[in-house]
Amino acid sequence: MSFTTLGFYLIYWGYKNWKIMKASGRTAAWPPICGLFLPFTLFSLLDKVKDEARAAGVSTTKLTISAFGFLMLGLLKMIPVVGILFNMSSFLALIPINRAFANINAAHQQSKPEYENFTWLNFTWFAVVAAWLAFHIVREIMRVS
């Protein structure tokens, strides 16, 4: 999702997670701003998640490393030509954090959300944007070579 939305999904991801924290009463932060500035607010979010994870018996060892990896991959976008590949792959560092969220939810026996609004149009959009990005990345690499 992050790749095909040109990174905007990460803003949405941050917003939704901060919104959950605010709804649970664990923070007074404003979710839209926290989502927009996720690189600056991620460690604060993880501190709150770690407390919940420990209470649920979920491992927290990879969370800080994942957040650091997310920030480093985002900073590597400054490298000419291939930097965009690092930046677009920064979402991969958030996978352990998402797993921790899923494990916390499982420990609280919350059901998994159903994505019934995910239609063939979403898949079409992802395919079109992925092809467009691949074309431009290859074209840029060929132009530099």
Side-chain angles (χ1 to χ4, degrees):
M1 294 266 303
S2 178
F3 190 77
T4 59
T5 61
L6 303 176
F8 286 107
Y9 181 73
L10 291 175
I11 295 170
Y12 175 75
W13 181 89
Y15 162 74
K16 289 299 278 187
N17 284 296
W18 275 107
K19 186 176 176 184
I20 291 168
M21 287 295 168
K22 186 170 185 171
S24 69
R26 288 178 279 205
T27 185
W30 197 34
I33 296 298
C34 291
L36 189 60
F37 295 103
L38 184 63
F40 302 106
T41 63
L42 182 60
F43 286 99
S44 179
L45 176 66
L46 288 183
D47 284 342
K48 292 169 184 12
V49 170
K50 282 181 181 180
D51 294 338
E52 187 72 25
R54 287 186 192 109
V58 174
S59 173
T60 62
T61 56
K62 296 179 182 176
L63 299 183
T64 304
I65 295 168
S66 296
F68 184 73
F70 170 73
L71 294 176
M72 290 299 102
L73 286 170
L75 289 174
L76 289 174
K77 70 180 173 189
M78 296 178 195
I79 298 173
V81 182
V82 295
I84 190 70
L85 297 176
F86 289 114
N87 187 42
M88 296 303 287
S89 64
S90 64
F91 73 93
L92 294 172
L94 296 177
I95 291 173
I97 298 170
N98 276 335
R99 285 191 181 150
F101 289 158
N103 291 338
I104 291 168
N105 289 336
H108 291 297
Q109 299 177 348
Q110 295 177 356
S111 63
K112 293 182 181 178
E114 293 185 24
Y115 299 104
E116 57 194 37
N117 294 333
F118 203 76
T119 66
W120 65 270
L121 191 57
N122 297 103
F123 288 109
T124 304
W125 170 254
F126 294 146
V128 167
V129 172
W132 180 80
L133 284 171
F135 169 76
H136 286 288
I137 289 170
V138 169
R139 186 181 74 175
E140 189 67 25
I141 291 172
M142 298 298 284
R143 187 175 65 153
V144 171
S145 303

